[in-house]
Amino acid sequence: MKSLCLVFVFAIFLQCESKQFSRCELVHQLRSHGFPEDKMRDWVCLVESESSRTTHYIGKVNRNGSRDYGLFQINDKYWCSNTSTAGKDCNVTCNDLVTDDITKAAKCAKKVYKRHGFNAWYGWKNKCQGSLPDISSC
Ligand SMILES: *[C@@H]1O[C@H](CO)[C@@H](O)[C@H](O)[C@H]1NC(C)=O
Ligand SMILES: *[C@@H]1O[C@H](CO)[C@@H](O)[C@H](O)[C@H]1NC(C)=O
Ligand SMILES: *[C@@H]1O[C@H](CO)[C@@H](O)[C@H](O)[C@H]1NC(C)=O
């Protein structure tokens, strides 16, 4: 019972540790990782609808058994390896995609985009084809 409680406390602690960017923090992160200015609002919209700008967010298991990881909710079927060794098309582990340093996630998201465009993300398809977030103050 005691150890179960400890696990709970630790889980809550981890939750608190996960980083949620403000909208402008996200814009600055994306800029520093070379995302183009003319698509910035689409990327911000995508990240907001996929992960609410939370770096450690891991989606629940999809119907087909795959899972989505991190800020960009990248799928483990093709892109990241859910074992401890790097692999699949982004040559990363899925754990690499849920860190506060978004270098690997950014690189992988660009790869997904290069292959499929924004249509790879349901979050973008469903929510980002009308009005886009205002980032004029960032
Ligand atoms: C599995 O489902 C997710 C979410 O519905 C989707 O993004 C992904 O492309 C699917 N993978 C396959 C192989 O069907
Ligand atoms: C890793 O992903 C594959 C493919 O989506 C899935 O079949 C497998 O159960 C996953 N393994 C773990 C440990 O989540
Ligand atoms: C994949 O990543 C691993 C570890 O980060 C690295 O050692 C390896 O060279 C990479 N492989 C390719 C093909 O980029």
Side-chain angles (χ1 to χ4, degrees):
M1 196 56 206
K2 216 173 219 169
S3 63
L4 192 65
C5 286
L6 270 179
V7 167
F8 255 118
V9 168
F10 192 59
I12 289 163
F13 176 71
L14 283 179
Q15 285 282 310
C16 298
E17 279 293 273
S18 89
K19 173 86 182 158
Q20 182 170 31
F21 293 125
S22 70
R23 180 174 286 171
C24 282
E25 279 175 333
L26 175 67
V27 169
H28 296 149
Q29 286 283 330
L30 294 176
R31 279 190 185 133
S32 78
H33 287 93
F35 285 79
E37 207 57 41
D38 64 328
K39 297 279 189 312
M40 192 57 76
R41 293 169 75 207
D42 285 278
W43 283 107
V44 170
C45 182
L46 183 157
V47 169
E48 289 187 349
S49 63
E50 290 284 350
S51 67
S52 310
R53 306 182 226 106
T54 310
T55 54
H56 290 219
Y57 183 65
I58 298 176
K60 58 181 187 322
V61 180
N62 296 317
R63 219 174 303 161
N64 58 26
S66 66
R67 241 177 159 167
D68 301 318
Y69 295 81
L71 213 54
F72 303 95
Q73 288 294 284
I74 290 169
N75 196 269
D76 66 8
K77 193 92 184 180
Y78 305 110
W79 302 103
C80 65
S81 161
N82 59 6
T83 65
S84 58
T85 42
K88 300 210 178 165
D89 284 13
C90 288
N91 191 34
V92 291
T93 67
C94 299
N95 277 336
D96 291 335
L97 302 179
V98 296
T99 57
D100 287 345
D101 177 351
I102 70 163
T103 306
K104 285 180 175 169
K107 206 169 155 208
C108 186
K110 285 188 203 167
K111 193 163 192 175
V112 176
Y113 176 77
K114 204 167 169 195
R115 202 172 295 170
H116 301 292
F118 286 123
N119 282 314
W121 286 273
Y122 286 109
W124 183 88
K125 270 207 268 193
N126 295 336
K127 296 191 179 138
C128 305
Q129 303 196 77
S131 66
L132 291 169
D134 179 10
I135 58 169
S136 56
S137 63
C138 305

